[in-house]
Amino acid sequence: MTSSILIVGATGNTGRAVTQTLPKLLQSSSTLSGYRIIALTRSSTSPVAQELAKLPGVEVIEQNWVEITVDWLREHQVARAFIASHNEPNQFAEESTFHLNALNAGVKYVVRISTTAANVRPDCPAYYPRQHWAIEALLDSPEFNNLQWTSLQPNIFSPLIMASAAELIKKYRKTGEQDRLRLMLSEDAPVGLIDPDEVGIFAAHLLAQDDTSVHNKAKYVLNGPEDITGKQIVDMIEQHIGVPVTDVSYKDVSFIDMLYEYQYAATKQSKNVIYSIKWAPETAWEGKCSASTSSKEFLELSAPKRTPADVLKSLLAK
């Protein structure tokens, strides 16, 4: 059996683009052209998984990644891996277990998805960026020197922000009525929103490098090609519907209330921890998440192209 590249979350936000991009990159590689690609999913019968299974060199396997063991990694001869973990309160325990098993199984290189760079610090008020900081600190320790790694720190995903704009436009076109527009962005702070597909494309380019050592221990900041403000999103909507937007709530994080009520209230998770997510957008409101912060390596290997307008257009087409 030949060596493989494992993609954890192959049908997810970023993993799908990794899986779609990697086969062609491997074909032109002098050292990796014979590698298999293992696309991990919880359901191999889903439409996305079935499409991925048609790609050359891709094998779709049903497996919950949090149950992956050292023996599993060795059995599948995993040499490199991509992981986009969940952001649940137990993320550190589960993702660190994966990395420890990768180290002990002899995996050579891991590309992982982190979160907004300005938040990845030990004193971030929101809980989940602290978990990403802790994972990066663990990987950076001497004990993990045999496992090369790169951590990608993408800005806010553009579909998440543009979804409410698309919903307002669709409703207005259908009924002539508007609901309150709830935007997580502030009115005037520029933010370099990024399409998750472009995060996955960059991850695929890293995984396909003949020599990964130049990217070892790197933390790359990923933004989209241009900045946008909350007011510019409003202007964009008005261009689509031809009338003023009547009710806008900027810096709106009310979705956290619904998230807690419907996803966490019955699980006995700490309300204090979950509600700390409300602090995550503060760095964006302070102007610390603009496109100018993108890492040069990202721009050199696979510069982003999809603008917020492009994303809005694709959301309206659905």
Side-chain angles (χ1 to χ4, degrees):
M1 186 181 292
T2 56
S3 297
S4 66
I5 298 177
L6 173 66
I7 302 173
V8 171
T11 58
N13 269 345
T14 53
R16 183 178 64 252
V18 179
T19 313
Q20 293 169 334
T21 306
L22 194 54
K24 186 174 291 186
L25 295 175
L26 294 187
Q27 287 172 7
S28 58
S29 170
S30 60
T31 59
L32 306 173
S33 57
Y35 277 48
R36 298 173 298 123
I37 299 171
I38 297 176
L40 221 60
T41 179
R42 289 189 177 181
S43 174
S44 59
T45 60
S46 72
V48 176
Q50 290 180 337
E51 284 300 311
L52 295 178
K54 298 175 184 177
L55 296 171
V58 173
E59 179 185 2
V60 174
I61 295 179
E62 280 191 17
Q63 170 69 47
N64 187 344
W65 71 267
V66 302
E67 304 300 339
I68 286 177
T69 63
V70 172
D71 288 342
W72 191 96
L73 292 165
R74 286 176 176 163
E75 177 187 346
H76 292 84
Q77 295 192 318
V78 176
R80 299 182 180 188
F82 166 85
I83 178 169
S85 176
H86 59 73
N87 277 340
E88 302 291 325
N90 64 337
Q91 177 202 346
F92 179 82
E94 294 189 334
E95 189 180 344
S96 64
T97 297
F98 175 85
H99 293 302
L100 181 61
N101 288 342
L103 172 71
N104 290 331
V107 175
K108 300 301 182 186
Y109 180 55
V110 172
V111 177
R112 67 176 300 273
I113 302 296
S114 181
T115 190
T116 308
N119 287 341
V120 185
R121 61 183 200 272
D123 64 340
C124 182
Y127 81 88
Y128 67 90
R130 297 196 303 270
Q131 295 189 138
H132 284 292
W133 172 85
I135 290 288
E136 291 175 352
L138 174 140
L139 290 171
D140 201 32
S141 67
E143 291 82 357
F144 276 79
N145 279 345
N146 288 336
L147 177 64
Q148 294 186 3
W149 59 277
T150 304
S151 193
L152 308 186
Q153 300 177 336
N155 208 330
I156 307 168
F157 288 164
S158 46
L160 173 66
I161 299 299
M162 303 306 296
S164 59
E167 289 169 8
L168 188 148
I169 294 169
K170 287 180 179 179
K171 178 169 184 177
Y172 184 81
R173 287 174 174 173
K174 186 176 182 179
T175 68
E177 299 177 350
Q178 297 183 34
D179 291 328
R180 168 175 285 187
L181 175 64
R182 300 184 182 276
L183 291 175
M184 196 190 311
L185 300 191
S186 69
E187 184 174 4
D188 54 8
V191 182
L193 305 178
I194 187 166
D195 188 286
D197 281 352
E198 298 196 306
V199 178
I201 291 169
F202 179 55
H205 276 81
L206 291 173
L207 290 165
Q209 296 293 299
D210 289 327
D211 179 12
T212 59
S213 63
V214 294
H215 303 288
N216 185 30
K217 299 181 183 293
K219 305 168 191 175
Y220 293 141
V221 181
L222 279 55
N223 299 291
E226 63 182 38
D227 289 323
I228 195 166
T229 65
K231 180 60 169 62
Q232 287 173 324
I233 294 176
V234 173
D235 293 342
M236 197 180 297
I237 295 170
E238 292 176 346
Q239 290 174 6
H240 279 274
I241 64 177
V243 297
V245 175
T246 56
D247 187 6
V248 185
S249 175
Y250 294 109
K251 297 184 178 180
D252 194 300
V253 291
S254 58
F255 70 94
I256 303 300
D257 299 308
M258 292 183 289
L259 179 71
Y260 180 78
E261 180 180 351
Y262 292 106
Q263 186 171 332
Y264 292 107
T267 67
K268 301 189 184 301
Q269 292 282 5
S270 165
K271 187 174 183 179
N272 191 33
V273 169
I274 302 304
Y275 268 68
S276 73
I277 299 172
K278 290 189 174 186
W279 298 103
E282 279 203 334
T283 48
W285 302 340
E286 294 167 354
K288 296 177 180 178
C289 303
S290 69
S292 64
T293 61
S294 291
S295 296
K296 64 180 181 61
E297 293 84 355
F298 172 47
L299 302 178
E300 290 169 356
L301 274 180
S302 62
K305 300 174 183 177
R306 282 176 61 80
T307 65
D310 294 329
V311 172
L312 179 59
K313 182 178 179 181
S314 65
L315 290 172
L316 290 174
K318 294 181 178 179

